[in-house]
């Protein structure tokens, strides 16, 4: 467990830079995509998390960006209640 934690600490700066570059390339100026950084399904590496409002908004997104996986979730449009 501590090895996993150390690896995540050591790669956090690179993961944040990758997320920022991803935003610049795929999400800047688009209201139908939101991008964050999280852990992959195994919990052992960073992944770029994309929340897209529709399948159309998610269609052109890659499944990898640099050294990191990209996980896309279709959320539907945001609404206020």
């Amino acid at each position: 467990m501590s090895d996993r934690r150390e690896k995540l600490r050591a790669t956090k700066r690179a993961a944040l830079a990758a997320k920022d570059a991803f935003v610049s390339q795929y999400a800047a100026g688009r209201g139908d995509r939101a991008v964050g950084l999280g852990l992959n399904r195994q919990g052992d590496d960073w992944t770029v998390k994309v929340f897209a409002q529709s399948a159309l908004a998610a269609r052109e997104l890659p499944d990898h960006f640099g050294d990191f996986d990209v996980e896309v979730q279709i959320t539907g449009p945001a609404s206020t209640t």
Side-chain angles (χ1 to χ4, degrees):
M1 183 70 154
S2 65
D3 290 339
R4 181 183 300 176
R5 193 172 291 145
E6 288 303 317
K7 177 188 175 200
L8 291 171
R9 278 192 202 132
T11 58
K12 186 174 184 178
R13 186 172 295 201
L16 287 169
K19 182 202 65 118
D20 290 343
F22 186 94
V23 168
S24 294
Q25 188 169 348
Y26 292 102
R30 294 194 57 135
D32 58 351
R33 295 178 184 161
V35 180
L37 188 64
L39 295 179
N40 63 11
R41 288 181 176 97
Q42 296 80 21
D44 62 355
D45 203 359
W46 298 106
T47 187
V48 177
K49 300 269 190 174
V50 182
F51 301 95
Q53 287 185 4
S54 67
L56 181 63
R59 184 175 53 191
E60 64 188 39
L61 297 173
D63 60 357
H64 284 82
F65 189 78
D67 293 333
F68 302 98
D69 288 341
V70 175
E71 293 181 12
V72 180
Q73 182 178 350
I74 309 277
T75 60
S79 63
T80 59
T81 56

